[in-house]
Amino acid sequence: MLKNKTSIVTGSTSGIGLGMARALAKAGANVMLNGFGDATAIETIRRELAAESGARVLHHAADVTQAGEVAALVAATEHAFGAVDILVNNAGIQFVAPVDEFPEDKWTAIQNTILNASFHAIKAALPGMKRRNWGRIINLVSVHGLVASPFKSAYVAAKHGQIGLTKTVALEVAETGITCNAICPGYVLTPLVEGQIESQAMMHNLPRDRVVREVMLAVQPTKRFVEVEDIAALAVFLCSDAAKSITGAAIPIDGGWTAR
Ligand code: NAD
């Protein structure tokens, strides 16, 4: 379905980003992986994805908090594959603290990783998409782009900002073959959430299974984590021709969290 298309997925050495990269490769797209991690482990992921899909897969180590590195990531992808047709802004980090105690460096790091990186990547990739009159921009946001939770001020602000950016970009390119959408998952069991389970367990002095049941999944009516593969399938669908009229949308995949 996506043969001859090229994608960038930021933050795809782990979790949801890796799942989306895998699904895009399986659908036929070349993939530029991005993200941190052990070089040998990343090379193993790169080879696995290429071998199982037959797609071309490369990795670029850009730190997306650096505007210049984001531009270099887009330029390197255009150089290696000839285009960036699909841009998935997925890299993200979390830090939890009351707003009046929130460390300024953590606030800045979250804005840079989530909101500013999305802006810089879109700015760099859009001219090529406009020239080819085709593109898919997917911002992997969160239910926290739609609703808030206490102690997550930086994350909630960045994620709400990403939805504003999504809508604005969608309107600016609405008459072209480019769409821009936000995917808004509830809790997904990835290393990012494992970290939160550990800190909540310490904070509430509760065992892991009770934190999962009584703190995390309490807000998710299905009482199940959202699966990476389901988010990846939605991302692939948004890249399809059938999704050409879906633009400027913030699509929850949250087990009913935002239905309350
Ligand atoms: P994860 O920690 O498993 O993966 C994060 C990825 O981002 C990693 O590949 C990491 O190397 C990369 N990354 C972090 N900082 C980076 C930087 N400065 N430059 C380049 N890469 C960087 O996390 P995840 O749970 O898979 O999260 C992926 C996205 O999904 C994030 O934007 C997160 O906010 C969002 N999200 C996660 C959940 C969840 O429950 N896990 C729910 C909703 C939204």
Side-chain angles (χ1 to χ4, degrees), residues 69-217:
E69 295 192 29
V70 175
L73 165 65
V74 171
T77 310
E78 286 174 337
H79 183 73
F81 296 117
V84 175
D85 304 295
I86 297 163
L87 169 66
V88 185
N89 289 309
N90 165 80
I93 54 171
Q94 176 63 286
F95 189 82
V96 179
V99 67
D100 50 343
E101 293 169 19
F102 213 92
E104 296 195 359
D105 60 331
K106 298 286 186 199
W107 173 277
T108 304
I110 288 176
Q111 304 315 318
N112 284 342
T113 309
I114 292 174
L115 181 56
N116 296 338
S118 301
F119 160 67
H120 293 302
I122 291 169
K123 185 174 179 186
L126 204 53
M129 292 180 180
K130 283 181 175 171
R131 274 196 304 279
R132 290 181 296 279
N133 197 35
W134 197 92
R136 295 287 188 265
I137 300 167
I138 298 172
N139 295 319
L140 199 294
V141 182
S142 166
V143 286
H144 285 115
L146 300 165
V147 295
S149 295
F151 313 122
K152 296 186 176 175
S153 56
Y155 186 83
V156 169
K159 293 292 185 182
H160 274 66
Q162 259 187 323
I163 291 188
L165 177 65
T166 302
K167 291 177 179 175
T168 307
V169 173
L171 292 180
E172 289 185 17
V173 297
E175 292 181 39
T176 71
I178 305 165
T179 68
C180 181
N181 291 291
I183 295 179
C184 303
Y187 280 123
V188 189
L189 198 52
T190 65
L192 183 139
V193 162
E194 284 291 358
Q196 286 185 57
I197 294 172
E198 268 172 44
S199 52
Q200 297 268 2
M202 288 214 302
M203 208 186 317
H204 298 282
N205 197 20
L206 286 174
R208 186 185 185 285
D209 61 323
R210 283 192 60 195
V211 170
V212 167
R213 208 173 48 248
E214 294 170 26
V215 182
M216 321 239 33
L217 296 182

